[in-house]
Amino acid sequence: MQKNDLVANAGVTDVKGDRNLSPKEQPDKDVYLHVVEKRADGIVVRGAKCHQTGSLSAHEIIVLPTRALRKGEEEFAVAFAVPSDTAGVIHVVGRSSLDTREQDGCDCGNRRYSKYAPTVIFDNVFVPWNRVFLCGEVEFSADLVAYFSAFHRQSHGGCKAGKIDCMVGAALTMMAYNGTEKVGHHKEKVIDMIHRAETLYGCSLAASYEGKPMPSGTYFIDPVLANASKIHEGKEMAEATRLMIDIAGGFVADLPSDRDFDHPEVGPLLKKYLKGSNQAPVENRIKMFRLIEKMAMESADTISDIHGGGSPAAHRLTIFRESDTRSKVEAAKRLAGIED
Ligand SMILES: Cc1cc2nc3c(=O)[nH]c(=O)nc-3n(C[C@H](O)[C@H](O)[C@H](O)COP(=O)(O)OP(=O)(O)OC[C@H]3O[C@@H](n4cnc5c(N)ncnc54)[C@H](O)[C@@H]3O)c2cc1C
């Protein structure tokens, strides 16, 4: 992957049907991707993976089980890689909350950076054996899920700290454009945004620093710190977004269309009435509102703060499972002078 500079999409999340039923109890077994045929030259799989970030711009889709599996669930214990344009792989692009901006001709960055997270349907896809990593070995599915999700939760923290940095930059610029640079409560809010970004970043970095070598020679990050970073992200991104919106003002919600700004009659009027401080051209203020709208309201990004890499309950469970709780109990008893 590194040598050829390939991009991969992690195909983990099954559509899952009734959450109260195990894969084999589902009335339609296809809601968990599974092996439908084993052949001499490979396997045939069917199912659907949803919210597949960047699947359309990835060279390869690496499919993993979405959950731990038990004996009797062998057909769902499957991991493999296929090129994203393999026959039978159907990418259905999901709608984004800012689609209508794009229809107005506004570049929200989605086309350039392929922000979309399609539902990817595997309609009887053939996978040759040399691309199959797991096929029926249920005992490894929990480990695969745990390794993937720990790395993903750590990288989310580092990534979203960078997003808050951009939000801080946007808030400070907006203060200059609006003439609120010297307003005390705005400075306080910027400080509150920065400390959230740095805590998130610190947690994510610490997960790497505390990483340990695996028998294969690769390093595995500290899963407790990785999950702590993700929990922090789920709560604090919302707070950082709230602070940025507070500083910027109401046009985050209802900035006129680019077509109106370009309109020969209405455009000049809008530009007259949307001017902030005399120091900045009105066009820059409009552009900055557009960026803030995207950072605050683009559905894929704000929802991924919470559900990306697994929902918050999964992070909490992992933290408890992976934490060395016994040494904490021993430390407390030692300090209290209790000898068992
Ligand atoms: C923008 C975005 C990008 C993503 N990118 C990818 C990607 O690239 N690849 C990928 O594989 N996945 C991706 N995901 C998927 C993500 O991992 C899932 O959204 C997440 O695991 C939650 O699954 P779900 O959406 O099916 O919600 P659900 O699993 O239905 O969860 C909804 C709620 O129900 C709770 N719940 C569900 N089942 C149970 C149960 N049995 N018992 C108790 N509580 C339960 C959950 O804890 C949560 O609170 C992405 C998600 C988003 C939003």
Side-chain angles (χ1 to χ4, degrees):
M1 295 293 290
Q2 281 183 338
K3 203 158 126 195
N4 297 310
D5 197 19
L6 298 181
V7 173
N9 153 237
V12 182
T13 308
D14 282 303
V15 286
K16 297 190 295 262
D18 185 336
R19 272 65 176 155
N20 202 28
L21 301 178
S22 72
K24 65 174 183 186
E25 289 167 344
Q26 301 284 341
D28 180 352
K29 280 204 288 187
D30 294 351
V31 295
Y32 282 84
L33 188 139
H34 63 126
V35 178
V36 289
E37 191 187 343
K38 277 189 194 173
R39 302 194 334 210
D41 50 352
I43 56 174
V44 178
V45 297
R46 191 160 64 226
K49 298 281 185 179
C50 50
H51 321 297
Q52 297 301 293
T53 305
S55 68
L56 277 168
S57 52
H59 299 95
E60 296 277 339
I61 302 180
I62 302 182
V63 166
L64 304 177
T66 203
R67 54 181 285 170
L69 295 164
R70 276 177 270 171
K71 216 167 157 20
E73 297 179 323
E74 284 75 10
E75 67 190 284
F76 306 98
V78 59
F80 58 86
V82 284
S84 51
D85 57 355
T86 299
V89 175
I90 304 165
H91 302 253
V92 185
V93 172
R95 295 296 307 272
S96 156
S97 51
L98 295 183
D99 277 2
T100 52
R101 288 292 186 206
E102 302 218 328
Q103 283 160 13
D104 277 353
C106 169
D107 179 6
C108 294
N110 287 339
R111 268 162 291 185
R112 197 180 313 162
Y113 301 113
S114 185
K115 190 68 219 295
Y116 294 111
T119 298
V120 180
I121 298 168
F122 291 74
D123 192 25
N124 297 318
V125 172
F126 172 71
V127 189
W129 280 117
N130 64 353
R131 286 177 154 266
V132 177
F133 313 128
L134 185 83
C135 185
E137 300 88 345
V138 281
E139 64 274 28
F140 297 118
S141 59
D143 281 351
L144 274 183
V145 175
Y147 291 155
F148 164 75
S149 56
F151 270 117
H152 194 33
R153 290 167 194 169
Q154 181 239 10
S155 61
H156 246 266
C159 159
K160 296 299 171 94
K163 182 178 169 188
I164 303 183
D165 287 347
C166 295
M167 289 159 63
V168 167
L172 286 166
T173 311
M174 218 57 202
M175 285 160 65
Y177 291 173
N178 286 350
T180 60
E181 267 169 314
K182 298 199 174 80
V183 170
H185 74 90
H186 276 191
K187 281 191 199 154
E188 289 295 325
K189 283 166 184 158
V190 167
I191 293 166
D192 283 347
M193 291 170 76
I194 294 174
H195 87 69
R196 284 182 165 82
E198 297 304 321
T199 315
L200 193 51
Y201 186 54
C203 220
S204 192
L205 273 186
S208 293
Y209 284 127
E210 296 289 331
K212 305 237 163 17
M214 301 287 277
S216 67
T218 62
Y219 266 70
F220 184 55
I221 39 90
D222 182 292
V224 176
L225 286 162
N227 278 273
S229 165
K230 186 68 184 60
I231 286 192
H232 194 62
E233 174 195 330
K235 287 189 178 157
E236 303 302 344
M237 286 303 294
E239 181 61 2
T241 305
R242 187 184 72 78
L243 295 167
M244 173 184 69
I245 293 171
D246 181 341
I247 291 169
F251 271 120
V252 180
D254 47 21
L255 198 67
S257 146
D258 280 11
R259 287 189 190 164
D260 288 328
F261 284 119
D262 292 340
H263 190 273
E265 194 183 336
V266 182
L269 284 172
L270 283 176
K271 288 179 183 167
K272 165 183 156 73
Y273 287 114
L274 264 72
K275 183 116 175 77
S277 150
N278 221 14
Q279 312 301 317
V282 64
E283 286 79 8
N284 290 4
R285 187 164 181 258
I286 293 166
K287 281 184 184 168
M288 196 48 72
F289 266 125
R290 188 73 84 220
L291 176 71
I292 293 176
E293 175 191 62
K294 179 176 166 63
M295 291 194 287
M297 291 164 62
E298 189 176 60
S299 50
D301 218 27
T302 46
I303 308 304
S304 85
D305 299 342
I306 300 166
H307 284 297
S311 307
H315 314 149
R316 305 177 83 82
L317 279 178
T318 312
I319 285 185
F320 198 70
R321 191 184 63 226
E322 299 290 335
S323 284
D324 179 7
T325 46
R326 175 186 281 202
S327 72
K328 298 180 201 316
V329 171
E330 282 168 2
K333 285 187 175 170
R334 195 169 60 247
L335 285 171
I338 297 169
E339 281 177 33
D340 282 348

